[in-house]
Amino acid sequence: MELIAKTFMGLEPVLAKELIELGANDVQIGRRMVSFSGDKEMMYRANFQLHTAIRILKPISHFKAKSADDMYEEVKKIDWSQYIEKGKTFSVDSVVYSEEFRNSRFVTYKVKDAIVDQFREKTGERPNISVSNPDIRLNIHVAEDNATLSLDSSGESLHRRGYRQESVEAPLNEVLAAGMILMTGWQGETDFIDPMCGSGTLLIEAALIAHNISPGVFRKNYAFEKWPDFDAELFDMIYNDDSREREFTHHIYGYDVDMKAVGKARLNVRAAGFANEITVEAADFKDFKQPAEKAIIVTNPPYGERISTPNLLATYKMIGEKLKHQFTGNDAWILSYREECFDQIGLKPSIKIPVFNGSLECEFRKYSMFEGRMKDFRQDGGIVKTEEEKKAMAEKHRFKKNRDFKKRLEEEEENEGHDIRSFRFLSLERANEKEEREREAKMERSRRNFDREKGFDRDRNFNRDRNKDFKGERRFDKKDRKFGQGGKRFERDGIRFNDKKKRGNRDFGNNNRRFDHEDED
């Protein structure tokens, strides 16, 4: 059968690799999704074993829909009795990129109407709709006039593993955390360290990967378990199969300066059953010391958005110094957003991978730490950047050249089901720059309007000939009725001009303050 695995932007290659290793056929990478084919067992395994998928869809119909009527008729052609049994509830999720269908809710209603009307005409009864806990979940994807209607086999997003008991502010999404670790190539060969661990998501996902434990082991249910053709015996076999699991002989360490975060991380680690493999302690990264054993660091420091520090740039400078002097001979991977933060690290990365954290287009950078000069390190046979990393860096540059993050945010829906708490980002610096640009543009428009009209409207008691003396000196904002430079509000009837050359005395509102224009300047 045809299947689709959805994921976050930037994780598509990692997900495709997982699917190939799982034995999927016809694996093709798309935007925020990977298509593949397989049987019922493959669909069950994809839900249960994939670390970087957020949803597995099973398409049941592809069709053209140029209008709302087309959408209704095409959906109604499907025999829905095969999928929705009598007395069962259903829901519809819509993802729309179309000039014709601009509102995803409208598409949702059209699909629901077609299904309900078919049941009413055939049986005289209609199925109920449940948003919170439906028996059957449907997904409609519309790109211009191409529509794909699918069964959602996952139900609740697959990032909700089930082990998280407590979380800190802005926790790292489990799927993103697993994707980051898989990008590093780490499979448990060394110790694993997260010096800014928060609630411990990276630590637990690392333990799952090190032991090759399926992330679905914590989940209580999947949507496909409510399907008419659900094979309980087959799924029990998959669930209880631990033949792929392996021993982990190293250790995972997590540190955080916030004692509350440490307590939450410890609780989550115990809930996941990894108390023996993971140690979480309260410690500041500035006190980090060279580990005795070979290790890898994977961490997600604050960006200065939802979480910050008293001195953000100083924090990143400290990170760079600690990596350089206390982590030689090892690799460190850092996820962050701001270029100025990366600059403060002061180290040259061997690879930069674009990846989205919520709505933030971040970069995941690798730093290979070695003693002495790079020239000497290479002469001794050291490898700073592999051929695969060189190729990836080349692809990254092409990707960056064509990407327009803000435009894409406007054109695409938010990340699937709010899997990562999403929000529109605008840094303080950019906000100030935007405000300044808007203010200058507004003043320029007012100046052009003033010049074009050669004065103000008659109802403001201005004479066009007299107003020409103001040209270039005063900018009038029609909306707020203010003078640009002085910013003083005034009553229209309180402004008087005695002659053309001396622009009179002005009576400004209730202040009874008279003065010459020259004095004002």
Side-chain angles (χ1 to χ4, degrees):
M1 67 181 77
E2 177 188 2
L3 296 165
I4 294 173
K6 300 192 70 176
T7 189
F8 297 124
M9 185 78 76
L11 298 186
E12 299 94 340
V14 184
L15 176 57
K17 185 178 179 180
E18 277 199 280
L19 282 165
I20 293 172
E21 292 175 351
L22 200 61
N25 299 318
D26 306 317
V27 177
Q28 299 289 329
I29 294 177
R31 174 174 289 187
R32 291 178 18 176
M33 55 81 73
V34 178
S35 64
F36 63 105
S37 63
D39 55 13
K40 186 181 295 186
E41 180 179 348
M42 176 56 63
M43 183 182 69
Y44 290 175
R45 288 190 180 277
N47 275 283
F48 187 69
Q49 295 179 348
L50 292 177
H51 294 267
T52 56
I54 58 175
R55 200 170 297 282
I56 307 299
L57 303 178
K58 175 188 174 184
I60 56 177
S61 179
H62 301 277
F63 55 86
K64 292 279 187 179
K66 296 182 179 180
S67 67
D69 291 338
D70 289 347
M71 177 72 67
Y72 178 87
E73 293 300 329
E74 291 294 334
V75 174
K76 201 173 180 182
K77 288 179 182 178
I78 302 170
D79 182 6
W80 288 105
S81 62
Q82 299 180 51
Y83 308 106
I84 305 175
E85 295 179 314
K86 184 177 180 180
K88 298 291 185 179
T89 60
F90 76 98
S91 68
V92 181
D93 294 322
S94 300
V95 179
V96 180
Y97 310 98
S98 173
E99 290 295 321
E100 177 64 29
F101 306 101
R102 299 187 178 217
N103 191 318
S104 60
R105 288 188 178 182
F106 175 75
V107 174
T108 297
Y109 294 145
K110 274 296 174 184
V111 173
K112 288 179 178 178
D113 288 346
I115 297 173
V116 169
D117 290 349
Q118 183 188 98
F119 274 96
R120 185 183 288 118
E121 292 171 6
K122 289 184 175 181
T123 66
E125 299 179 1
R126 53 161 290 171
N128 292 321
I129 296 169
S130 173
V131 177
S132 59
N133 188 30
D135 296 310
I136 303 296
R137 294 176 182 263
L138 302 173
N139 181 282
I140 177 77
H141 184 281
V142 182
E144 295 307 329
D145 60 348
N146 296 308
T148 299
L149 187 57
S150 306
L151 290 171
D152 181 353
S153 68
S154 303
E156 190 176 35
S157 173
L158 296 177
H159 88 278
R160 299 185 183 277
R161 311 289 202 215
Y163 60 71
R164 181 178 284 175
Q165 306 296 308
E166 297 283 349
S167 68
V168 295
E169 185 180 0
L172 190 65
N173 180 278
E174 293 89 334
V175 164
L176 176 58
M180 290 165 57
I181 297 167
L182 292 174
M183 284 180 193
T184 71
W186 183 83
Q187 296 286 329
E189 305 87 350
T190 66
D191 287 351
F192 183 98
I193 302 172
D194 181 0
M196 297 179 168
C197 68
S199 58
T201 305
L202 277 167
L203 308 177
I204 298 171
E205 292 297 324
L208 289 171
I209 291 171
H211 283 289
N212 203 26
I213 296 175
S214 299
V217 71
F218 304 104
R219 280 179 64 109
K220 295 181 179 179
N221 55 69
Y222 295 89
F224 61 73
E225 295 182 68
K226 297 181 179 180
W227 290 6
D229 63 346
F230 172 59
D231 189 334
E233 185 176 345
L234 174 61
F235 183 58
D236 286 343
M237 181 271 292
I238 295 171
Y239 188 93
N240 295 311
D241 180 14
D242 59 0
S243 61
R244 298 172 68 250
E245 295 182 11
R246 56 179 174 244
E247 291 294 321
F248 175 51
T249 57
H250 296 278
H251 203 75
I252 298 172
Y253 299 92
Y255 305 98
D256 203 284
V257 70
D258 184 355
M259 194 61 212
K260 290 184 179 179
V262 170
K264 293 176 180 180
R266 287 173 175 170
L267 180 63
N268 293 334
V269 167
R270 288 196 298 271
F274 293 125
N276 294 329
E277 290 88 351
I278 301 175
T279 298
V280 184
E281 296 179 353
D284 197 325
F285 199 173
K286 68 182 181 181
D287 300 322
F288 185 80
K289 300 296 182 183
Q290 179 78 31
E293 302 292 334
K294 189 170 180 60
I296 183 175
I297 281 180
V298 182
T299 192
N300 175 40
Y303 309 156
E305 305 311 317
R306 289 177 289 175
I307 299 178
S308 187
T309 63
N311 193 332
L312 188 67
L313 297 183
T315 298
Y316 277 82
K317 185 176 181 180
M318 174 272 294
I319 291 173
E321 292 174 350
K322 284 298 173 182
L323 294 180
K324 183 176 181 179
H325 299 294
Q326 299 293 337
F327 205 58
T328 54
N330 299 302
D331 294 335
W333 291 75
I334 297 176
L335 178 72
S336 191
Y337 175 74
R338 295 170 176 258
E339 187 66 34
E340 56 265 37
C341 292
F342 281 122
D343 290 342
Q344 291 298 313
I345 292 177
L347 302 172
K348 186 175 181 180
S350 58
I351 187 170
K352 307 174 187 177
I353 304 175
V355 65
F356 276 70
N357 184 3
S359 59
L360 297 181
E361 190 173 22
C362 300
E363 282 188 351
F364 191 41
R365 298 189 179 186
K366 175 186 177 183
Y367 298 91
S368 296
M369 311 310 302
F370 53 86
E371 290 186 279
R373 297 183 304 171
M374 182 179 292
K375 182 179 179 180
D376 297 334
F377 177 73
R378 285 176 170 168
Q379 287 179 349
D380 293 337
I383 299 176
V384 177
K385 188 183 301 183
T386 64
E387 291 301 321
E388 185 178 348
E389 289 172 346
K390 290 178 181 179
K391 183 179 178 181
M393 282 289 281
E395 292 176 353
K396 181 262 174 183
H397 286 304
R398 289 196 296 272
F399 177 76
K400 186 173 184 178
K401 178 181 178 181
N402 297 321
R403 68 185 177 183
D404 185 345
F405 173 58
K406 290 185 178 179
K407 182 179 178 181
R408 188 153 66 234
L409 267 185
E410 295 172 357
E411 293 175 350
E412 297 181 357
E413 85 280 13
E414 298 295 331
N415 272 315
E416 171 70 16
H418 302 289
D419 291 326
I420 302 177
R421 189 183 309 163
S422 55
F423 60 96
R424 298 181 70 87
F425 165 77
L426 193 64
S427 69
L428 181 59
E429 293 83 359
R430 291 184 181 179
N432 291 336
E433 292 173 2
K434 181 180 179 182
E435 183 179 352
E436 181 65 25
R437 289 195 301 269
E438 290 177 348
R439 182 166 56 250
E440 291 177 356
K442 186 176 182 180
M443 294 170 67
E444 181 62 27
R445 287 195 299 271
S446 299
R447 188 183 303 115
R448 287 198 300 266
N449 291 338
F450 185 89
D451 292 343
R452 186 169 56 250
E453 296 295 334
K454 295 182 181 179
F456 302 122
D457 296 338
R458 293 181 181 178
D459 61 355
R460 293 195 172 102
N461 299 324
F462 277 92
N463 180 281
R464 289 179 181 270
D465 293 334
R466 290 169 179 166
N467 285 333
K468 67 184 180 181
D469 294 334
F470 280 104
K471 192 172 182 179
E473 294 181 22
R474 292 292 183 182
R475 295 178 291 279
F476 186 76
D477 187 299
K478 292 182 178 180
K479 181 178 179 181
D480 296 328
R481 294 207 294 271
K482 296 178 184 177
F483 276 109
Q485 293 176 350
K488 301 182 184 300
R489 297 182 181 273
F490 60 90
E491 298 290 340
R492 289 188 308 199
D493 297 334
I495 300 176
R496 298 193 296 274
F497 294 90
N498 295 335
D499 54 54
K500 293 183 179 180
K501 295 183 179 179
K502 181 183 179 184
R503 290 183 288 275
N505 293 324
R506 300 177 186 171
D507 184 1
F508 279 78
N510 296 325
N511 292 332
N512 296 322
R513 179 182 174 190
R514 299 175 183 276
F515 54 88
D516 287 339
H517 174 74
E518 296 173 355
D519 294 334
E520 181 192 2
D521 291 341

